[in-house]
Amino acid sequence: MACIQLKENCEFNGESTYRHVNTQLPNYARPRFIRIKSAIELTPTFKYRKVQLVEEGFNPAVIKDRLYFLDEKENLYVQMTQDIYNSVKQHDFKL
């Protein structure tokens, strides 16, 4: 999973992000999930705060941020839904 903050007045484009990730990263390094945060939280020592992100996982019922899933059949990142989450948990999607 990658957690990113978009520049002001920018929108996430699942198709162009997929193209970029697909051409620039090897398969094992491509994020299967992208989480869009309005602000990236830091610790007092300026490290990224990751513990809460790990605990929340990728369940759309828990996460209030926008979350996207890498759909390799459609060649784009799609908005994560409860149906996709259930399919991943039931191993219908190979990660």
Side-chain angles (χ1 to χ4, degrees), residues 12 32-34 36 66-70 77-80:
F12 182 80
R32 301 300 186 235
F33 304 94
I34 295 181
I36 310 294
R66 288 181 291 157
L67 183 64
Y68 294 88
F69 173 72
L70 175 62
Y77 281 93
V78 296
Q79 183 115 24
M80 186 71 165

Side-chain angles (χ1 to χ4, degrees), residues 33 56-65 67 79-86 89:
F33 304 94
E56 292 176 350
F58 60 96
N59 186 346
V62 174
I63 297 172
K64 303 303 178 219
D65 302 315
L67 183 64
Q79 183 115 24
M80 186 71 165
T81 63
Q82 195 64 43
D83 291 335
I84 294 172
Y85 175 78
N86 293 338
K89 294 299 277 186

Side-chain angles (χ1 to χ4, degrees), residues 16-92:
S16 66
T17 302
Y18 173 83
R19 282 195 311 267
H20 178 76
V21 165
N22 196 40
T23 58
Q24 299 297 317
L25 296 173
N27 189 39
Y28 65 86
R30 296 176 191 148
R32 301 300 186 235
F33 304 94
I34 295 181
R35 184 172 177 171
I36 310 294
K37 299 275 296 173
S38 57
I40 303 294
E41 299 174 26
L42 300 175
T43 67
T45 56
F46 303 104
K47 296 177 184 172
Y48 294 112
R49 197 176 292 273
K50 299 175 278 200
V51 174
Q52 181 181 1
L53 298 175
V54 172
E55 289 173 353
E56 292 176 350
F58 60 96
N59 186 346
V62 174
I63 297 172
K64 303 303 178 219
D65 302 315
R66 288 181 291 157
L67 183 64
Y68 294 88
F69 173 72
L70 175 62
D71 189 339
E72 296 191 38
K73 292 179 183 174
E74 297 292 326
N75 296 333
L76 61 104
Y77 281 93
V78 296
Q79 183 115 24
M80 186 71 165
T81 63
Q82 195 64 43
D83 291 335
I84 294 172
Y85 175 78
N86 293 338
S87 295
V88 170
K89 294 299 277 186
Q90 295 169 1
H91 305 288
D92 293 336

